[in-house]
Amino acid sequence: MRAEVGPQTDAGVEQSAAPRTDADVPAFWRALGLPGLADIHIHFLPERVLDKVWGVFDTAEEHYGYPWPIQYRASEPERIALLRTMGVRGIPSLCYAHRPGMARWLNEWCTDFAARVPDAVHSGTFYAEPSCGDDVRDALDAGARLFKLHVQVGRLRPDDPVLDPAWGLLEDAQAPLVLHAGSAPRRGEHTGPEPVRELLRRHPRLVLVIAHMGMSEYTEFADLAAAHDGVHLDTTMVGTDFMERVAPFPREALDQVRDLGHKVVLGTDFPNIPYPYAHQLEALARWDMGDDWMRAVLWENGARLMGLSDPQV
């Protein structure tokens, strides 16, 4: 049986059990006194790109060695409506380029998404190519305030000098970037903490959100977060029953994550997850970090990074 949140909050007020279904999610964050959820790791992609991504997961046994059934294979309007029903406030598109010449049109699509989805978090991306500085500058000028880079899918080194113009612009703008640099669920040529450590040596003021808490190099990326003011960790898939079979979260890292509560950000990878959205919240709740930690992770840290306001203020 899965563990539930304790019956009392830090303030001694009755708290609801960890959510078992998506319908339970609003009661969970309301019991914590939150205005909703600030999920920094959500994907909305152009339809033909999303179809290819889902195609990879449909053949996951070939790529990863185990099945990965997509939980939320629905239309874009249906997926947006579901997030709103659960109380997710601020919807990133979080596109990422995996080859030269792709970033510009993805950023144009993200600009359109932000224009037609009122609660969108305008996102952008870039690739390791000479135009990366121009691509980031144009995205920032268009209103992008959150970026994404995927080391394994893009087969790129985050510390590649060709990327320096892009990193310099993001550093100056203090625009956060969700960086998938860990070596799970599939190791890449340039995954791992070392290229990120070198990147931060050259650009120490970057605001990075390490996707999946750096899975599977959890402790190494937590060390980077502890050492650099701008480095955060997102919770995407971490601690879930599915991922515990693939890249289990080490018990010795729990103290690191507890101490870094002001830098841990809710992420889920919706819609490309093989279990209900609620299970990510349930997985975090059974770590039993306390309500203040949960409030920071589920709302405060992500709201700060994405510029979301509390509707009650």
Side-chain angles (χ1 to χ4, degrees):
M1 180 180 292
R2 295 173 182 163
E4 294 183 350
V5 175
Q8 301 291 319
T9 68
D10 293 339
V13 179
E14 184 81 12
Q15 179 177 309
S16 67
R20 302 297 183 90
T21 71
D22 290 351
D24 300 331
V25 169
F28 182 62
W29 55 257
R30 287 190 182 109
L32 289 165
L34 297 177
L37 300 173
D39 185 344
I40 205 167
H41 199 138
I42 290 170
H43 291 291
F44 280 87
L45 310 173
E47 186 173 352
R48 71 178 190 268
V49 177
L50 186 60
D51 285 344
K52 290 181 179 179
V53 170
W54 283 351
V56 171
F57 289 120
D58 287 343
T59 56
E61 288 188 84
E62 173 186 341
H63 295 287
Y64 301 122
Y66 44 85
W68 191 307
I70 297 294
Q71 182 78 18
Y72 297 99
R73 196 186 298 265
S75 70
E76 180 182 289
E78 290 172 319
R79 284 177 275 129
I80 292 172
L82 178 57
L83 288 171
R84 289 171 174 160
T85 298
M86 290 189 293
V88 175
R89 298 194 54 248
I91 300 175
S93 45
L94 225 57
C95 294
Y96 49 92
H98 64 271
R99 56 177 170 76
M102 189 177 185
R104 180 165 296 275
W105 68 264
L106 281 177
N107 288 343
E108 291 171 351
W109 186 89
C110 288
T111 298
D112 176 71
F113 181 82
R116 59 188 169 80
V117 178
D119 43 358
V121 177
H122 192 160
S123 307
T125 189
F126 53 97
Y127 191 71
E129 55 188 325
S131 66
C132 65
D134 291 337
D135 293 338
V136 168
R137 181 180 294 105
D138 290 346
L140 287 168
D141 289 346
R145 62 184 196 267
L146 177 67
F147 287 77
K148 173 66 187 285
L149 202 66
H150 199 305
V151 172
Q152 184 267 321
V153 171
R155 300 181 299 280
L156 52 85
R157 284 187 66 91
D159 61 340
D160 187 334
V162 75
L163 290 168
D164 278 344
W167 291 127
L169 287 164
L170 293 176
E171 192 174 27
D172 290 343
Q174 288 292 281
L177 177 134
V178 177
L179 178 65
H180 186 135
S183 299
R186 187 166 59 177
R187 183 176 298 276
E189 183 180 355
H190 305 300
T191 57
E194 287 307 319
V196 181
R197 186 173 288 113
E198 172 60 20
L199 169 65
L200 289 164
R201 187 188 67 79
R202 299 209 306 262
H203 298 279
R205 294 184 299 110
L206 280 170
V207 181
L208 299 180
V209 180
I210 304 300
H212 306 274
M213 289 190 177
M215 180 190 302
S216 56
E217 295 96 348
Y218 296 110
T219 58
E220 293 92 334
F221 278 105
D223 287 342
L224 284 178
H228 295 271
D229 289 344
V231 177
H232 301 70
L233 308 169
D234 88 24
T235 67
T236 302
M237 301 191 75
V238 179
T240 62
D241 293 346
F242 180 88
M243 199 50 69
E244 284 294 283
R245 295 190 292 268
V246 177
F249 191 77
R251 299 297 301 178
E252 60 269 22
L254 284 175
D255 286 341
Q256 289 178 294
V257 169
R258 181 179 290 107
D259 293 341
L260 291 168
H262 61 296
K263 288 187 163 193
V264 178
V265 189
L266 175 64
T268 60
D269 236 346
F270 177 95
N272 306 323
I273 46 178
Y275 46 76
Y277 187 98
H279 181 49
Q280 180 69 75
L281 306 181
E282 181 186 22
L284 296 176
R286 62 194 181 191
W287 282 355
D288 195 24
M289 295 289 193
D291 290 352
D292 286 345
W293 189 92
M294 288 293 286
R295 280 188 279 266
V297 171
L298 299 187
W299 172 256
E300 294 163 10
N301 300 333
R304 168 174 49 83
L305 289 169
M306 292 187 285
L308 306 180
S309 60
D310 186 335
Q312 298 176 356
V313 175

